[in-house]
């Protein structure tokens, strides 16, 4: 029989993502409404080991639903990989009476949560990363907003590249995965999408051939999306310009993809996942990650979740190839 939890903590860790605030709001409000105390931990595991912890009331999460970023701040804390530092984290939870902890972050952050679970703190992970690179879930908080921000930027780039009949090479984030690139490609009608999962498709020759073919078909501008995990967008732009004679500009969208007002879809997932995490803690669960799978909110053992195979939706990639062909 698991002991009843009275106080929970919540932290955000790793790269921030739009919708993290809406997730914090959901966790805090759900917990308070169930009669739990909630402690906010600033700056992820760094704040945990330093005791940067404060009690949260309903007002702490007022007026944040629409704000990007995270009011709890986020940090990377490499030293948390050491057992003695993890023990300090677990000790600090005890000092502040934290019996259950919600960790909003990516798979690195979940490994930290797993270590705390081994040390007796009930932990639940909520997937929060723009990259959508957590295998056990079909959705990660931040993804939809990041894609929409990037697509908005791509549409602006298309305006200017079509006026000047140029080629635009645009690099989007995603660390080692091509999810953002694939969705951006489809939603912006990009001519070429280069992702790390499809290495064969990004020989310079193939890309250049496609651009030349497009020109012969009467298409005066092109958009090439390069996933961060492929990189080299500046060099590719130079190469395209040198070989084709078509003026080409490279744009790296960078951190603007991590900001902005979360979309309605984002807030829906954030709210549902936040509530689910609190329910799991109340049920005495630990070492679990909340996931959205086949249109349902479910949970997995963190170890199982982290061990699953990650892959991008290749059908979307192939659809874009068909619909973008001029
Ligand atoms: P993300 O959570 O977005 O994948 P990181 O991989 O940078 O981001 O991880 C965020 C933080 O999680 C790290 O800075 C560290 O504090 C913690 N972390 C990552 N890997 C581990 C690990 N193996 N053991 C314990 N903590 C970890
Ligand atoms: O994981 C989110 C992400 O934005 C990745 O897409 C990118 O590779 C990385 O974080 C950038 O990290 P930083 O904010 O440390 O530059």
């Amino acid at each position: 029989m698991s002991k009843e939890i009275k106080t929970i903590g919540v932290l955000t860790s790793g790269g921030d993502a739009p919708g993290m605030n809406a997730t914090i709001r959901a966790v805090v409000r759900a917990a308070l409404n169930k009669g739990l105390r909630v402690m906010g931990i600033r700056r992820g595991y760094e704040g945990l080991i330093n005791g940067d912890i404060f009690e949260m009331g309903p007002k702490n999460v007022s007026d944040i639903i629409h704000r990007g970023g995270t009011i709890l701040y986020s940090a990377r804390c490499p030293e948390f990989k050491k057992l003695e530092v993890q023990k300090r984290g677990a000790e600090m939870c005890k000092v502040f009476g934290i019996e259950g902890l919600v960790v909003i972050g990516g798979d690195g952050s979940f490994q930290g949560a797993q270590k705390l679970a081994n040390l007796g703190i009930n932990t639940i992970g909520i997937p929060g990363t723009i990259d959508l690179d957590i295998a056990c879930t079909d959705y990660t908080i931040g993804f939809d907003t990041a894609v929409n921000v990037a697509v908005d930027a791509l549409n602006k780039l298309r305006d200017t590249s079509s006026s000047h009949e140029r080629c635009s090479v645009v690099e989007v984030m995603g660390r080692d995965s091509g999810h953002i690139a694939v969705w951006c490609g489809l939603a912006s009608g990009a001519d070429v999408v280069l992702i790390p999962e499809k290495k064969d498709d990004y020989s310079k020759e193939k890309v250049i051939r496609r651009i030349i073919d497009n020109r012969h078909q009467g298409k005066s501008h092109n958009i090439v999306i390069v996933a961060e995990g492929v990189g080299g967008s500046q060099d590719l732009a130079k190469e395209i310009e040198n070989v084709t004679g078509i003026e080409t500009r490279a744009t790296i969208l960078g951190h603007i993809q991590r900001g902005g007002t979360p979309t309605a879809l984002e807030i829906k997932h954030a709210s549902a996942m936040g509530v689910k995490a609190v329910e799991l803690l109340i049920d005495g669960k630990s070492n679990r990650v909340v996931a959205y799978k086949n249109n349902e909110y479910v949970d997995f053992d963190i170890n199982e979740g982290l061990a699953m195979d990650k892959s991008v939706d290749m059908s979307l990639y192939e659809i874009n190839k068909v619909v973008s062909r001029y």
Side-chain angles (χ1 to χ4, degrees):
M1 177 80 183
S2 54
K3 86 173 163 56
E4 198 188 327
I5 281 190
K6 296 199 179 68
T7 303
I8 69 162
V10 56
L11 61 79
T12 47
S13 165
D16 69 343
M20 278 186 165
N21 276 330
T23 317
I24 296 167
R25 170 181 177 269
V27 169
V28 171
R29 293 267 168 89
L32 293 175
N33 285 328
K34 292 283 183 184
L36 302 178
R37 287 177 77 210
V38 187
M39 308 301 279
I41 301 160
R42 296 191 187 91
R43 298 179 188 82
Y45 295 119
E46 191 186 300
L48 177 65
I49 58 180
N50 293 328
D52 195 352
I53 298 170
F54 65 104
E55 182 157 0
M56 298 183 84
K59 267 215 149 292
N60 289 102
V61 291
S62 288
D63 213 17
I64 65 166
I65 191 169
H66 60 296
R67 280 167 52 193
T70 158
I71 58 160
L72 291 176
Y73 305 99
S74 194
R76 294 199 167 94
C77 175
E79 54 176 329
F80 203 70
K81 290 180 185 165
K82 294 185 202 144
L83 179 61
E84 74 262 27
V85 182
Q86 293 156 9
K87 282 184 178 163
R88 225 188 314 148
E91 198 47 48
M92 203 55 90
C93 285
K94 286 180 191 140
V95 168
F96 283 86
I98 296 169
E99 299 145 309
L101 178 65
V102 178
V103 171
I104 307 165
D107 49 10
S109 303
F110 296 163
Q111 292 189 49
Q114 186 190 26
K115 305 292 163 46
L116 285 172
N118 293 342
L119 294 167
I121 309 299
N122 286 4
T123 58
I124 306 293
I126 297 182
T129 166
I130 63 164
D131 301 334
L132 193 65
D133 61 348
I134 299 176
C136 65
T137 182
D138 296 338
Y139 194 76
T140 62
I141 310 290
F143 178 72
D144 187 57
T145 308
V147 167
N148 278 286
V149 165
V151 170
D152 183 51
L154 280 153
N155 288 336
K156 289 172 176 146
L157 287 167
R158 192 199 295 104
D159 289 344
T160 170
S161 73
S162 73
S163 307
H164 289 270
E165 299 177 277
R166 283 174 174 162
C167 174
S168 221
V169 176
V170 187
E171 190 169 311
V172 298
M173 276 189 167
R175 207 183 288 210
D176 303 320
S177 82
H179 295 282
I180 295 178
V182 167
W183 274 79
C184 284
L186 196 61
S188 69
D191 302 273
V192 179
V193 179
L194 306 181
I195 56 172
E197 294 84 353
K198 199 80 182 161
K199 290 205 166 71
D200 298 348
D201 280 11
Y202 54 83
S203 78
K204 280 187 189 134
E205 292 71 26
K206 268 194 187 171
V207 175
I208 288 169
R209 183 62 205 269
R210 177 67 195 276
I211 290 165
I212 292 171
D213 284 351
N214 280 352
R215 187 59 49 120
H216 288 155
Q217 298 289 324
K219 187 160 200 235
S220 61
H221 68 278
N222 288 277
I223 295 178
V224 176
I225 294 184
V226 180
E228 175 186 11
V230 172
S233 44
Q234 301 276 6
D235 289 346
L236 179 63
K238 275 192 204 123
E239 189 91 5
I240 292 171
E241 185 164 303
N242 289 343
V243 177
T244 63
I246 297 170
E247 269 193 312
T248 304
R249 298 284 186 269
T251 307
I252 298 175
L253 292 184
H255 287 81
I256 63 160
Q257 293 159 99
R258 289 245 296 265
T261 299
T263 62
L265 180 72
E266 203 75 80
I267 294 173
K268 176 244 184 194
H269 285 301
S271 305
M273 288 186 175
V275 170
K276 174 95 185 165
V278 172
E279 283 169 1
L280 290 169
L281 284 175
I282 289 172
D283 289 348
K285 301 278 171 53
S286 181
N287 200 37
R288 311 289 296 176
V289 54
V290 175
Y292 184 66
K293 216 57 195 158
N294 306 320
N295 300 319
E296 263 189 293
Y297 296 98
V298 293
D299 57 287
F300 293 99
D301 179 271
I302 290 185
N303 312 306
E304 268 174 40
L306 291 177
M308 290 179 187
D309 271 347
K310 300 177 185 186
S311 62
V312 301
D313 186 343
M314 278 305 168
S315 67
L316 291 185
Y317 179 83
E318 295 302 330
I319 289 168
N320 188 48
K321 274 187 160 177
V322 173
V323 297
S324 70
R325 174 90 31 225
Y326 211 61

